[in-house]
Amino acid sequence: MNRKTFIYKIAAVLFIVIAAQSCAKDDSKTLHLYNWTYYTPDSILEKFEEETGIKVIVDNFSSNEEMFAKLQAGGGNGYDIIVPSADYTSIMIKENLVQKLDKSLLPNLENISPLVHEKATYDPDMDYSVPYFMGSSGIAVNRKKLEENGISYDKSWMIFADESLRGKMSMLDDMREVMGAALKKLGYSINTADEGQLDEAARLIEEQWKPNLVKFDAESFAKSFGRGEFWVVHCYPEAVFEEVGENNWDSIDFFIPEEGGCMYIDNMVIPKGAKNVEGAHAFINFFHRPDIHALFLDEFNFPATTNPEAAKYTTTEPFFQPEELDSCELIMDIGADLEKYNTRWQKIRYTK
């Protein structure tokens, strides 16, 4: 080996070492978060970076299915925190896709509501997941439009059976949400596997609700509601209120039906292969510091369902109250029984 070649090889080795050290250093100062679209307030990211020096890079998904498909295809490598809903959190824990948490790094777990522990049967001790937010879908009514047309209503899922509202309503294009709503109305569990109960729920949707709907819609319902085209929508409240000017919020009645609704718990998990595990723990703990969590609640006019201590720091009026969740049930992973729902939903959704 001549001297020039030797020098080049030494230089190459030094470059690799320096690059590796640089990457390691960068990993500790960067956190990759994979979260639902529009679900991560910039104010929290800015404060976290200011206090820790860690920059958070956010990628978004619009459904659990999209997120999980990306993980299964190997596209989830490199994320330090992912925010799946309860049913997919359960799946990810069972399939050994997430790391066990170091609770010594998460003292703010003490702020989590006892109701969350009660409802989160898939991980009640928060060994693998920490709740991001617990909420529920519900119904938004354009009270002004109904009053102008002399239409009264009860705060029930059966509002969708009101023929006087035909052509002015939509329900979510979401199998578990719509089937769950019908099951709750009938007094059944939204996670039932009973064929008779599922048939009864499907008939209720097909015969009494679907004929009055413009469509099943999970994307544009809020804009249609904001334009006054839809008067009643099955929805998540933050989406609707985002599309309606704050000056008109008094004309909207959002409620979780008296029969109860389909609850969700979105969770923060640290996936296997995360590069900044320490930073991930730091962010999870930071998010549940009451004054920081209050920023999240204020961003979406959410109630302090997950972290009651944060209510002391909020400045906005929430769209619903935590006690409205008492009658709600959590959508859970039901394994192979999901096909029973799929079969019926295909008929509901695509049959004229």
Side-chain angles (χ1 to χ4, degrees), residues 216-237:
F216 293 102
D217 179 12
E219 295 182 0
S220 60
F221 66 87
K223 291 185 183 298
S224 297
F225 186 88
R227 291 193 296 262
E229 297 168 9
F230 296 170
W231 297 353
V232 178
V233 291
H234 178 200
C235 67
Y236 300 107

Side-chain angles (χ1 to χ4, degrees), residues 94 193 195 333-343:
K94 289 175 184 175
E195 300 270 8
D333 168 34
I334 53 175
D337 287 326
L338 188 64
E339 187 55 33
K340 297 177 181 178
Y341 287 73
N342 279 327
T343 301

Side-chain angles (χ1 to χ4, degrees), residues 282-307:
F283 183 85
I284 293 170
N285 193 60
F286 183 79
F287 185 76
H288 277 297
R289 201 173 82 191
D291 61 314
I292 298 300
H293 195 72
L295 296 175
F296 167 74
L297 301 178
D298 282 343
E299 179 81 10
F300 301 105
N301 288 76
F302 282 151
T305 57
T306 311
N307 184 331

Side-chain angles (χ1 to χ4, degrees), residues 20-239:
Q21 290 176 339
S22 176
C23 287
K25 183 178 180 181
D26 287 344
D27 284 343
S28 69
K29 290 299 180 182
T30 305
L31 188 73
H32 293 269
L33 172 64
Y34 196 29
N35 200 357
W36 295 81
T37 306
Y38 306 122
Y39 209 27
T40 318
D42 289 339
S43 57
I44 291 180
L45 302 182
E46 291 165 3
K47 284 184 175 293
F48 181 71
E49 183 174 2
E50 180 183 320
E51 292 192 20
T52 65
I54 300 173
K55 180 176 178 59
V56 183
I57 298 172
V58 183
D59 285 344
N60 298 125
F61 56 86
S62 59
S63 71
N64 283 296
E65 291 76 13
E66 176 190 338
M67 173 274 297
F68 195 64
K70 184 172 183 179
L71 260 64
Q72 289 184 309
N77 292 337
Y79 289 122
D80 301 302
I81 300 175
I82 302 175
V83 189
S85 297
D87 49 346
Y88 275 81
T89 301
S90 178
I91 292 169
M92 291 169 73
I93 292 172
K94 289 175 184 175
E95 295 198 7
N96 197 31
L97 296 174
V98 297
Q99 301 188 28
K100 193 164 187 177
L101 299 172
D102 183 348
K103 294 182 185 177
S104 69
L105 300 176
L106 302 171
N108 286 331
L109 289 185
E110 67 180 15
N111 297 321
I112 304 300
S113 162
L115 182 62
V116 174
H117 288 278
E118 177 189 326
K119 297 287 187 180
T121 55
Y122 53 89
D123 189 22
D125 297 323
M126 294 183 289
D127 290 326
Y128 296 92
S129 62
V130 174
Y132 191 80
F133 183 69
M134 178 174 68
S136 174
S137 59
I139 298 173
V141 173
N142 187 326
R143 188 190 297 113
K144 183 180 178 182
K145 289 288 189 182
L146 268 64
E147 288 175 353
E148 289 174 351
N149 287 273
I151 302 173
S152 59
Y153 63 95
D154 295 323
K155 295 189 175 185
S156 163
W157 288 113
M158 289 307 289
I159 193 172
F160 293 110
D162 190 340
E163 294 182 3
S164 66
L165 290 165
R166 180 171 291 186
K168 296 294 183 183
M169 299 191 291
S170 72
M171 294 190 77
L172 290 170
D173 191 4
D174 185 303
M175 176 182 73
R176 294 298 302 276
E177 286 280 0
V178 177
M179 290 286 289
L183 289 165
K184 288 299 284 185
K185 171 57 196 170
L186 295 167
Y188 304 137
S189 168
I190 64 173
N191 300 303
T192 184
D194 184 279
E195 300 270 8
Q197 294 176 0
L198 291 169
D199 284 340
E200 196 176 341
R203 283 195 300 273
L204 173 60
I205 299 165
E206 288 182 287
E207 297 173 6
Q208 298 189 52
W209 294 357
K210 184 179 176 180
N212 298 322
L213 304 178
V214 177
K215 58 181 176 177
F216 293 102
D217 179 12
E219 295 182 0
S220 60
F221 66 87
K223 291 185 183 298
S224 297
F225 186 88
R227 291 193 296 262
E229 297 168 9
F230 296 170
W231 297 353
V232 178
V233 291
H234 178 200
C235 67
Y236 300 107
E238 63 274 16

